[in-house]
Amino acid sequence: MLSSFLQYEFLRNALYTGLLIGFIGPLLGTFVVVRRLSLIADALSHVTLSGIAFGLMLDKKFGVGISPFYAGMSFSVIGSVFIEQLRRVYKAYQELAIPIILSGGVGLSVIFISMADGFNTDLFNYLFGSVTAVSRQDLWTILIVAILVTSLIALFYKELFMLSFDEEHAVVSGIHARRIHFLFIVLTALVIAASIRIVGVLLVSALMTLPVAASIRIARGFKQAILLSIVFGEVSVISGLIFGYYFEIPPGGTIVLTSILILLVTILVKQVIQRTRTKRVKA
Amino acid sequence: MTTPVLSIENVSYSYEQKDVLEHIDFTIQPGSFVGLVGPNGSGKTTLIKLILGLLHQKRGDIRLFGKSIDKFKEWDRIGFVSQKANSFNSGFPATVYEVVSMGLTSKVGYFRFFKKKHEEKIKEAVDLVGMSDYIHQNIGDLSGGQQQRIFIARALVSEPEFLILDEPTVGVDTENVHRFYKMLRDLNKNKGITLLLVTHDIGTMTSYASDIACLNKQIHFHGDPESFNDLNDQDLSNIYGHPVNAVTHDH
Ligand SMILES: Nc1ncnc2c1ncn2[C@@H]1O[C@H](COP(=O)(O)OP(=O)(O)OP(=O)(O)O)[C@@H](O)[C@H]1O
Ligand SMILES: [Mg+2]
């Protein structure tokens, strides 16, 4: 099955992109999940959508050729800065920043989409992901994002880890919590925008959270949790792409369903292991 | 005279309307083991947050190792165990080793990675609190008291000169409370670490600490345990605002 994937250039692009986002999504997703910020991924993906819609609208109305992909990425990063500002304003209700930004993103999207005279296949591809729409240039962009994200996370791993575990302790130890957090949120925005080509706006947060949800059930330690999340992420993306292609379904759907399957299996396996252990203790 | 580890002069603090600390003067000399006691809501945690720079005083002066707190940068000289250390997200996938390693993060510094010598230090610190058997377990799978010991190891791993503990023995059983106080006394005597310990456990405290300080909005008493024990019930109930049971001695 994989051989035909390597035959056509567009499928190769999709496969390589898939491998990249299957890596960076769960990598950053592990930090997102343990900090209980899963919903930020949803907020940012909708902001990205408004950027994409803005790009499509400019193209259609004014013939300005900005790639919707880049427009989405810029909106996502700007959105992440806004979230941070709002979280500072609503210190005691930090989670409020998420619905504010999410609804703002949807609102803008609706306006831009209708200005661009409604839906078209391009938009459909951005919403649900696509196997065929990934260009070589998209692949390069995503490769650069992946290298940037991975090296920054490697460089600031110990600070990010500390900040995720116990913010107060990080501050007391003299870590620049605000700057590190800011870096983290901007990286999240980039990863979300990069993943949208394959998984789509509506399901991008799933790629960042479902593999992590499975891995933290069974992982020992944070590094192992990251590693397992990436393994689960890659398995979901690759099998999702292949099924998506053969059954002509947008890959967003198949990738997410594979992730859920993996999640269910880990929960089941863990329960079986625990049950046999307690039985052994009783016996 | 040696520079005090901590000196607080005329510090007051209030949350919005409510005055919590008034005109605090408080000095800790190197090598001392200070027990800070006071009723609930007397401002102990607030005072500690001021010392750690988590809150900023509105009036007065706080100095750490002789340096004004606004300019103080050497936070790795100070270790801290928080009152709510064990209210962290218990599902967090981090091993004991990983948690203790965080105590070295700022000492190692930005753009640098852990090395062999750091790994050794982490293992030593885990050993010091008697938790070596659990080093690769997830922190969430340990009991509350065991978790607390790990947080103490995290505070000790950077070999701080000044260790601040806010009610570290909450949820630790009596036997381990004594082991724990002995461990602190050893650190104080053998390694010369200066200790500031917030506790409600007055009885045990008086047999380990070198100084006792009583806080209730103001510092009402600061002296050695003998003179603290000489305070009569009337003095104590003035501080606490209600009668306090006679201080028990147990060695
Ligand atoms: N974030 C806050 N906002 C407003 N008031 C606060 C805040 N934190 C504490 N307080 C108030 O300040 C007072 C002192 O609180 P603090 O936590 O310093 O007491 P404590 O001596 O540590 O008490 P405990 O023994 O219960 O730990 C209390 O009356 C409390 O209600
Ligand atoms: Mg307190």
Side-chain angles (χ1 to χ4, degrees):
Chain A
M1 281 217 287
L2 214 71
S3 60
S4 74
F5 249 87
L6 299 172
Q7 224 167 352
Y8 302 105
E9 189 191 333
F10 71 95
L11 286 180
R12 267 206 310 269
N13 289 344
L15 184 69
Y16 295 152
T17 309
L19 287 171
L20 289 172
I21 64 167
F23 183 84
I24 53 173
L27 169 65
L28 211 66
T30 313
F31 291 95
V32 172
V33 169
V34 297
R35 298 191 67 180
R36 302 187 189 282
L37 291 174
S38 305
L39 288 173
I40 276 189
D42 267 314
L44 286 177
S45 69
H46 286 81
V47 174
T48 311
L49 174 65
S50 67
I52 290 166
F54 181 69
L56 291 173
M57 185 273 289
L58 278 189
D59 189 32
K60 196 146 186 195
K61 281 274 159 195
F62 307 103
V64 185
I66 310 178
S67 150
F69 183 47
Y70 293 136
M73 204 171 270
S74 326
F75 271 55
S76 182
V77 171
I78 294 167
S80 70
V81 176
F82 271 115
I83 288 188
E84 275 323 286
Q85 292 302 331
L86 281 172
R87 274 160 60 90
R88 218 166 288 164
V89 174
Y90 289 101
K91 275 209 175 91
Y93 293 97
Q94 296 197 345
E95 69 279 10
L96 255 184
I98 292 165
I100 294 173
I101 292 293
L102 192 141
S103 51
V106 174
L108 279 178
S109 308
V110 170
I111 291 171
F112 292 140
I113 290 169
S114 70
M115 279 170 76
D117 301 327
F119 275 83
N120 55 24
T121 32
D122 258 5
L123 192 63
F124 187 83
N125 284 342
Y126 280 111
L127 280 179
F128 299 106
S130 159
V131 188
T132 53
V134 187
S135 70
R136 176 162 277 206
Q137 202 192 344
D138 292 341
L139 173 60
W140 280 112
T141 312
I142 292 166
L143 179 67
I144 290 166
V145 169
I147 291 172
L148 187 76
V149 168
T150 311
S151 40
L152 283 173
I153 288 196
L155 204 55
F156 290 102
Y157 173 81
K158 63 184 190 315
E159 286 83 11
L160 279 165
F161 173 55
M162 191 178 188
L163 192 64
S164 311
F165 185 77
D166 184 345
E167 187 158 348
E168 186 176 80
H169 181 249
V171 172
V172 170
S173 312
I175 299 292
H176 297 89
R178 241 187 218 174
R179 281 178 230 174
I180 299 287
H181 179 73
F182 186 73
L183 172 77
F184 162 78
I185 207 89
V186 170
L187 291 183
T188 308
L190 280 176
V191 168
I192 286 169
S195 310
I196 274 175
R197 258 325 201 180
I198 299 272
V199 266
V201 168
L202 298 176
L203 297 170
V204 64
S205 71
L207 179 68
M208 297 187 84
T209 54
L210 293 182
V212 184
S215 88
I216 58 174
R217 296 286 306 166
I218 51 178
R220 262 209 197 169
F222 197 66
K223 281 198 176 138
Q224 207 181 83
I226 292 181
L227 224 72
L228 274 175
S229 305
I230 291 173
V231 170
F232 293 157
E234 293 287 14
V235 171
S236 316
V237 169
I238 293 167
S239 44
L241 275 176
I242 293 172
F243 285 125
Y245 174 66
Y246 281 99
F247 298 109
E248 293 179 25
I249 305 167
T254 45
I255 289 172
V256 167
L257 284 183
T258 323
S259 312
I260 290 181
L261 202 67
I262 292 174
L263 180 61
L264 290 179
V265 170
T266 29
I267 291 174
L268 265 174
V269 167
K270 171 117 194 207
Q271 268 175 0
V272 170
I273 290 174
Q274 269 173 344
R275 217 165 280 163
T276 46
R277 244 188 229 157
T278 41
K279 253 184 212 155
R280 231 182 276 152
V281 171
K282 269 181 200 156
Chain B
M1 216 183 94
T2 48
T3 328
V5 170
L6 169 74
S7 70
I8 296 181
E9 264 171 51
N10 195 25
V11 164
S12 302
Y13 190 82
S14 50
Y15 293 102
E16 272 114 48
Q17 311 294 321
K18 191 171 175 185
D19 294 333
V20 179
L21 297 172
E22 287 175 350
H23 308 295
I24 304 285
D25 287 308
F26 188 46
T27 306
I28 296 182
Q29 295 299 339
S32 48
F33 181 170
V34 182
L36 181 65
V37 299
N40 290 132
S42 57
K44 302 182 296 296
T45 300
T46 307
L47 183 63
I48 296 225
K49 284 189 170 162
L50 285 166
I51 297 171
L52 293 167
L54 288 169
L55 296 174
H56 301 281
Q57 79 270 23
K58 290 169 185 154
R59 236 170 299 130
D61 189 29
I62 300 179
R63 289 174 172 274
L64 290 163
F65 300 101
K67 218 178 225 151
S68 170
I69 191 160
D70 311 316
K71 300 200 186 88
F72 187 75
K73 290 255 155 55
E74 306 146 83
W75 290 104
D76 56 317
R77 295 173 79 182
I78 298 176
F80 171 52
V81 180
S82 146
Q83 180 171 15
K84 52 180 178 55
N86 44 15
S87 72
F88 70 99
N89 164 11
S90 65
F92 197 106
T95 62
V96 166
Y97 180 92
E98 287 177 320
V99 171
V100 176
S101 80
M102 288 186 246
L104 283 176
T105 297
S106 75
K107 196 164 198 168
V108 172
Y110 288 112
F111 310 112
R112 283 165 213 269
F113 300 92
F114 288 113
K115 298 208 184 75
K116 196 105 215 137
K117 64 171 182 194
H118 301 121
E119 287 170 23
E120 296 302 323
K121 285 221 170 105
I122 294 166
K123 284 181 196 150
E124 270 170 40
V126 177
D127 199 38
L128 194 66
V129 295
M131 290 294 291
S132 290
D133 292 346
Y134 299 87
I135 195 158
H136 296 301
Q137 296 267 325
N138 274 343
I139 181 96
D141 296 339
L142 304 181
S143 75
Q146 289 174 324
Q147 286 172 359
Q148 196 63 333
R149 288 203 243 168
I150 301 309
F151 290 115
I152 291 157
R154 178 178 71 174
L156 289 176
V157 70
S158 63
E159 298 175 339
E161 294 158 60
F162 182 26
L163 183 58
I164 301 173
L165 307 108
D166 194 354
E167 297 188 41
T169 50
V170 173
V172 179
D173 59 55
T174 356
E175 191 189 324
N176 277 308
V177 166
H178 275 280
R179 274 191 53 180
F180 174 68
Y181 277 107
K182 283 196 188 103
M183 184 186 91
L184 289 182
R185 187 165 59 189
D186 289 346
L187 287 170
N188 177 245
K189 289 249 160 71
N190 304 337
K191 299 204 168 178
I193 300 177
T194 310
L195 295 170
L196 173 61
L197 176 79
V198 172
T199 181
H200 287 289
D201 196 1
I202 305 176
T204 325
M205 201 58 228
T206 51
S207 48
Y208 289 94
S210 68
D211 292 61
I212 303 282
C214 288
L215 179 73
N216 197 353
K217 260 194 180 185
Q218 305 170 357
I219 299 279
H220 288 271
F221 172 86
H222 186 183
D224 54 33
E226 287 73 35
S227 32
F228 178 76
N229 286 337
D230 291 341
L231 293 179
N232 58 36
D233 290 353
Q234 188 55 48
D235 297 330
L236 277 179
S237 59
N238 281 343
I239 295 167
Y240 272 78
H242 60 80
V244 177
N245 291 337
V247 176
T248 53
H249 292 270
D250 38 8
H251 289 269

